[in-house]
């Protein structure tokens, strides 16, 4: 298991090919269409973060990487503009680190300008832990995620309390992504 705060996450050259990015895009859309579903991403890199960013970010994107998880060469390839975590469209953070910022929540005229938080988890799997409910989930589903500070869930609830304003979350494991749009309710098993 890599220590997310000490190791930068590096891409594989194939992450920058159109075919790889098209496949990743379809998988990411699938993850957001089926919240809570664990979706595998194809990459030869050790982690999916670079292919996710290569797929979603471009030179017009404001990207915050306060813990410098993204390798400098990958950052240059992305061409995304650096921004503070409170202004960025995408914020990359280790899930184990509690947030010390308030992300962009969008406006009533432009709720789509709310940030997408990309949280690096230690492991993502089926099983007990979190109970997810909301649009795209029949009744509810359980998700086991390790390496996410519980403060993220408390603040996410606060940030998303004035819907349609809020943030979307993408949880990244080494080879998978789980999407939690702002419409999804997240509760710890046992009701906490």
């Amino acid at each position: 298991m890599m220590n997310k705060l000490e190791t930068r996450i590096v891409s594989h050259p194939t992450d920058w090919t159109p075919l790889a990015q098209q496949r990743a895009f379809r998988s990411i859309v699938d993850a957001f269409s089926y919240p809570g579903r664990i979706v595998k991403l194809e990459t030869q890199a050790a982690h999916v973060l670079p292919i996710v960013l290569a797929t979603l970010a471009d030179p017009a994107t404001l990207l915050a990487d306060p813990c410098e998880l993204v390798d400098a060469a990958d950052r240059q390839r992305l061409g995304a503009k650096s921004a503070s975590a409170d202004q960025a469209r995408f914020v990359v953070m280790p899930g184990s680190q509690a947030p010390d910022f308030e992300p962009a929540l969008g406006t009533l005229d432009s709720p789509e300008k709310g940030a997408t938080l990309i949280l690096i988890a230690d492991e993502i799997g089926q099983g007990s832990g979190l109970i997810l409910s909301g649009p795209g989930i029949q009744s509810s589903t359980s998700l086991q995620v390790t390496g996410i500070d519980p403060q993220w869930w408390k603040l996410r609830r606060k940030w998303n309390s004035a819907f349609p304003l809020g943030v979307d979350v993408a949880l990244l494991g080494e080879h998978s992504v789980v999407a939690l749009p702002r419409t999804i309710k997240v509760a710890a098993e046992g009701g906490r």
Side-chain angles (χ1 to χ4, degrees), residues 18-97:
L19 182 59
Q21 291 176 12
Q22 289 167 359
R23 286 182 182 146
F25 182 78
R26 283 193 294 272
S27 295
I28 293 166
V29 167
D30 192 43
F32 274 94
S33 298
Y34 299 96
R37 179 182 287 179
I38 300 168
V39 177
K40 299 287 184 192
L41 294 180
E42 292 179 38
T43 180
Q44 294 180 45
H47 199 280
V48 298
L49 175 62
I51 189 72
V52 167
L53 290 177
T55 302
L56 298 178
D58 61 34
T61 303
L62 294 177
L63 174 68
D65 181 17
C67 296
E68 298 182 353
L69 296 177
V70 180
D71 180 69
D74 288 343
R75 179 86 180 186
Q76 188 173 0
R77 280 186 200 97
L78 281 172
K81 296 176 184 150
S82 289
S84 61
D86 61 339
Q87 295 182 350
R89 175 70 177 96
F90 294 101
V91 180
V92 176
M93 287 284 294
S96 59
Q97 183 173 320

Side-chain angles (χ1 to χ4, degrees), residues 112-123:
E112 74 282 359
K113 291 187 178 175
T116 298
L117 306 176
I118 300 172
L119 304 181
I120 308 302
D122 290 340
E123 289 186 41

